[in-house]
Amino acid sequence: MGFSTLDYIVFAIYCLIILFIGLYVSNRKKDKTANDYFLASNSLTWWAIGASLIAANISAEHFIAMSGSGYAIGLGIAAYEWIAAVALILVAKYFLPIFLEKKIYTMPQFVNDRFSRLVGSLFAGFWILVYIFVNLTSVSYLGALAMEKIMGVPLLYGIIGLLLFSGIYSIYGGLSSVAWTDVIQVTFLIGGGLVTTFISLSVVGGGDVLKGLGHIYEGARDHFSMIVSKGAMSIPGGEGSMKDAYNDLPGLAVILGSMWLINLGYWGFNQYIIQKGLAGKTLQEAKKGLIFAGYLKILIPLLVVIPGITAYVISNNPGFAADTVGEITKSDEAYPWLLQNFVPVGVRGLAFAALVAAVVSSLASMINSTSTVFTMDIYKAYIRPNANDKELIRSGRTIAVVAMLIAIVVAPALKTLDQVFQYIQMVTGFVYPGVVVVFGLGLFWKQITNKAALYTAILTLPTGVFFYLTLPGTPFILRMGYVFMILCIVALTISFLDKGGKVASPVIDGAKKKKMLRSGYLLLGIGILLLLCGVFLSAPLADFGFEAIFVLGTLFLMLGIVIYTNATMEVQDAKAIVVKSEIFITNRAFNIGAIGILVIIVTLYSIFWM
């Protein structure tokens, strides 16, 4: 039940379309400037931004790994997508306006301008290591795993082929090629993904998709809970072992705690994501693009999680499809197993093109952002400060090739894991607490100093490793929260004690000051109330991860401190960001779109709570 000639033709057409568009866009402008190559000449429209964001985000870690987590755990894994949709609203309204006003190329550049070159370089190193050793390796591995299971392509050849294919146009054409091919890629990945979902549900429902959805709900009721309690479900842990699903999705901690750190760090401060927003034509176009992406995020679980649950139901109830070929030996094989067994000839090529589109678009964005961060924050900062546009572009292309070669060597080592999606989240979880503290306070708090940012950045990894070693049985989402709380204390303490580099704060209008104080008191009150809830309810609700409310309480407390001190303190850091509140104003269309996202998310959680 491999590929037919028609499948190969469909897949080849997809490949030719992507290469043609990528190279065509690359050749539209012969003499590229650094802005052309790294920020697409600030020419992206809202629909291109939204499509490119989702194409960069949705990759094999979704089609293969998140589908694998859907097979093992169920709908609860969709929390990553649905909370991300809400996070995109916050990023669009509060983060992106400042970045665009400051004409930022890269996230480390922002840190460099706000604090110092040393802090910016630390974060540049963070991101480059994460992009190469986590993102590029995991996405290329998962895509190659699908090619091995469906087409019989050896794993190493698949890794090489995917990296080369994505590298051809992204290295040559820069962000323009990546963004405009992403518009096509997102069409393939959503269209092809929906085809796989509908066909697999139709198999279970005897030709009726809605009946199939009812069958998988009844046949795997435990897989349709957003809140997973301790001891409720055992899932594969890799190499034949079993583990508690609570370790991956610890109950209420998913919505009360560090999932917000993951999403704010990923969507707000991750170069290969936010770079699409930075390349927008205008601030309003960029904001609309992020709202559009929010609605697409709500749709993603239908493409990847539902097929995983469907594969679980079919594989455990042979009566639904007795003529299946092969077994699912590890969770991440669920999606390829569906394609191999149930998607018909011709359509299989389209469905596989969707999966490869997700892989290639993400790899292209990662390659481009790796080259952008290295070139602008390391090469230009330390190696060639006076480099011209041609030298900068050459540097970007060179490091992109190096990153691809490293990924080819490292990626095959991931084959021992059962759920690569959880590996990705856990590893990046070592970085995100520090990223959110330094970037968030750097954006909005006038008191945070360079010394505070530096020590917070330096302590991020050691603190994460400390909790990893001392609390090995604690879910990584909870451990991230502990790290976040400690880093908040570090940043606050050092900032208040550090008197160097402080200047007089601008005088704030009386009415505005009163409004800020009211907001600060409200947020402080909410934070204290949440912390008290944690004190009294964490023990009774321990099986549901309620202790994560301490993270949420800390977050509100920090917001209250930020607003209160911004309004009352007579001094501020010399590099504090001063922006006009008008840049945060959103129009009616944005507000309606944001409310729509919130209503949908609340409704979904209400239906699938437990």
Side-chain angles (χ1 to χ4, degrees):
M1 302 214 32
F3 260 37
S4 68
T5 302
L6 181 58
D7 291 316
Y8 281 112
I9 292 172
V10 171
F11 182 64
I13 290 172
Y14 151 75
C15 294
L16 291 173
I17 290 173
I18 297 303
L19 283 178
F20 172 77
I21 293 174
L23 296 176
Y24 171 76
V25 173
S26 302
N27 286 312
R28 284 195 304 179
K29 191 171 184 179
K30 297 294 183 183
D31 297 320
K32 292 184 176 67
T33 65
N35 182 270
D36 296 331
Y37 189 80
F38 296 116
L39 283 184
S41 309
N42 290 104
S43 62
L44 300 187
T45 57
W46 67 268
W47 48 272
I49 293 169
S52 191
L53 278 169
I54 295 305
N57 167 240
I58 305 304
S59 66
E61 73 184 71
H62 288 78
F63 274 97
I64 304 299
M66 186 172 273
S67 186
S69 292
Y71 175 90
I73 301 173
L75 192 63
I77 200 68
Y80 282 96
E81 305 305 297
W82 292 343
I83 291 178
V86 180
L88 278 163
I89 299 172
L90 299 176
V91 172
K93 183 172 177 63
Y94 295 110
F95 299 177
L96 197 59
I98 300 176
F99 292 144
L100 287 173
E101 184 177 79
K102 300 298 179 184
K103 301 187 184 303
I104 297 297
Y105 266 78
T106 70
M107 291 299 97
Q109 179 199 341
F110 166 76
V111 179
N112 178 68
D113 294 346
R114 175 63 178 86
F115 298 114
S116 68
R117 177 183 288 186
L118 178 57
V119 181
S121 299
L122 277 175
F123 279 100
F126 274 169
W127 287 132
I128 290 172
L129 291 175
V130 168
Y131 292 154
I132 295 176
F133 290 98
V134 179
N135 297 128
L136 281 174
T137 53
S138 61
V139 172
S140 58
Y141 161 74
L142 288 168
L145 176 65
M147 295 180 72
E148 182 180 54
K149 294 296 180 182
I150 298 168
M151 299 177 68
V153 177
L155 187 71
L156 181 60
Y157 292 165
I159 291 169
I160 295 172
L162 289 169
L163 285 165
L164 285 177
F165 182 58
S166 56
I168 288 173
Y169 66 87
S170 63
I171 292 174
Y172 181 57
L175 186 60
S176 292
S177 294
V178 173
W180 292 110
T181 53
D182 280 351
V183 175
I184 307 299
Q185 305 269 37
V186 83
T187 304
F188 271 100
L189 72 88
I190 290 178
L194 285 174
V195 165
T196 304
T197 300
F198 289 152
I199 289 175
S200 60
L201 288 174
S202 179
V203 169
V204 176
D208 188 323
V209 172
L210 292 178
K211 187 181 291 184
L213 192 59
H215 278 316
I216 68 168
Y217 181 75
E218 293 299 328
R221 185 68 68 89
D222 61 336
H223 276 53
F224 280 89
S225 173
M226 294 301 298
I227 305 299
V228 179
S229 61
K230 188 180 292 185
M233 181 187 299
S234 292
I235 60 173
E239 298 185 328
S241 65
M242 299 296 289
K243 65 178 180 180
D244 191 344
Y246 175 86
N247 290 333
D248 288 339
L249 290 172
L252 294 170
V254 174
I255 56 175
L256 294 178
S258 301
M259 187 74 78
W260 292 102
L261 305 182
I262 293 171
N263 279 294
L264 291 175
Y266 180 87
W267 293 100
F269 310 125
N270 185 341
Q271 179 65 30
Y272 89 84
I273 293 297
I274 198 65
Q275 190 169 349
K276 310 303 189 300
L278 300 179
K281 275 186 174 182
T282 64
L283 174 58
Q284 293 306 318
E285 286 288 302
K287 286 181 177 180
K288 285 192 291 185
L290 266 64
I291 291 295
F292 176 43
Y295 279 97
L296 293 177
K297 287 298 284 180
I298 294 172
L299 178 67
I300 297 306
L302 182 62
L303 311 182
V304 294
V305 181
I306 296 300
I309 299 174
T310 306
Y312 172 82
V313 171
I314 296 175
S315 62
N316 286 280
N317 295 274
F320 282 124
D323 57 345
T324 55
V325 176
E327 296 181 355
I328 300 175
T329 57
K330 59 176 9 177
S331 301
D332 285 346
E333 293 175 358
Y335 198 87
W337 183 80
L338 284 178
L339 290 186
Q340 184 184 24
N341 282 287
F342 303 112
V343 178
V345 170
V347 179
R348 189 176 300 141
L350 175 63
F352 188 64
L355 192 154
V356 173
V359 174
V360 169
S361 58
S362 293
L363 290 175
S365 291
M366 293 165 188
I367 290 168
N368 180 259
S369 291
T370 302
S371 69
T372 303
V373 171
F374 177 84
T375 300
M376 305 306 294
D377 298 299
I378 295 179
Y379 180 79
K380 188 175 182 181
Y382 294 102
I383 301 173
R384 296 275 294 183
N386 298 317
N388 58 35
D389 286 332
K390 287 185 178 180
E391 291 172 322
L392 294 175
I393 292 172
R394 183 165 60 245
S395 165
R397 288 170 173 165
T398 301
I399 193 62
V401 172
V402 172
M404 288 169 56
L405 293 174
I406 294 173
I408 288 171
V409 174
V410 176
L414 300 182
K415 61 185 177 183
T416 60
L417 300 176
D418 182 79
Q419 294 182 65
V420 176
F421 185 80
Q422 299 298 340
Y423 157 78
I424 296 168
Q425 305 308 321
M426 184 183 73
V427 174
T428 54
F430 284 107
V431 177
Y432 281 136
V435 169
V436 173
V437 172
V438 173
F439 279 83
L441 293 181
L443 278 171
F444 302 111
W445 195 34
K446 296 178 182 179
Q447 302 303 317
I448 186 169
T449 64
N450 173 61
K451 186 183 292 185
L454 177 61
Y455 280 103
T456 302
I458 291 173
L459 288 172
T460 297
L461 283 177
T463 308
V465 172
F466 170 77
F467 280 111
Y468 175 75
L469 296 175
T470 56
L471 300 172
T474 301
F476 76 90
I477 288 180
L478 291 175
R479 293 200 307 266
M480 279 181 63
Y482 304 152
V483 175
F484 172 74
M485 289 188 285
I486 289 174
L487 294 180
C488 284
I489 295 171
V490 169
L492 283 174
T493 304
I494 296 176
S495 294
F496 284 131
L497 293 177
D498 185 9
K499 304 300 182 183
K502 295 287 181 75
V503 298
S505 297
V507 177
I508 301 176
D509 174 75
K512 183 178 179 182
K513 185 174 181 178
K514 287 182 180 179
K515 185 177 180 181
M516 290 176 67
L517 287 173
R518 283 197 300 269
S519 299
Y521 289 139
L522 176 63
L523 292 168
L524 285 168
I526 293 173
I528 292 170
L529 181 62
L530 292 173
L531 293 177
L532 288 174
C533 287
V535 170
F536 292 107
L537 296 177
S538 288
L541 297 175
D543 288 350
F544 294 93
F546 192 76
E547 64 193 89
I549 200 167
F550 286 115
V551 179
L552 195 62
T554 301
L555 187 58
F556 274 95
L557 209 61
M558 288 294 295
L559 290 172
I561 292 171
V562 165
I563 294 175
Y564 177 82
T565 54
N566 281 349
T568 59
M569 293 194 71
E570 297 180 353
V571 295
Q572 64 181 41
D573 185 69
K575 289 189 173 182
I577 291 177
V578 179
V579 294
K580 295 179 180 179
S581 58
E582 288 78 11
I583 68 172
F584 301 122
I585 295 174
T586 50
N587 58 30
R588 180 179 296 178
F590 178 95
N591 295 336
I592 292 173
I595 291 170
I597 289 175
L598 294 174
V599 168
I600 293 171
I601 298 301
V602 170
T603 302
L604 288 168
Y605 263 93
S606 299
I607 295 172
F608 300 110
W609 182 252
M610 294 186 71

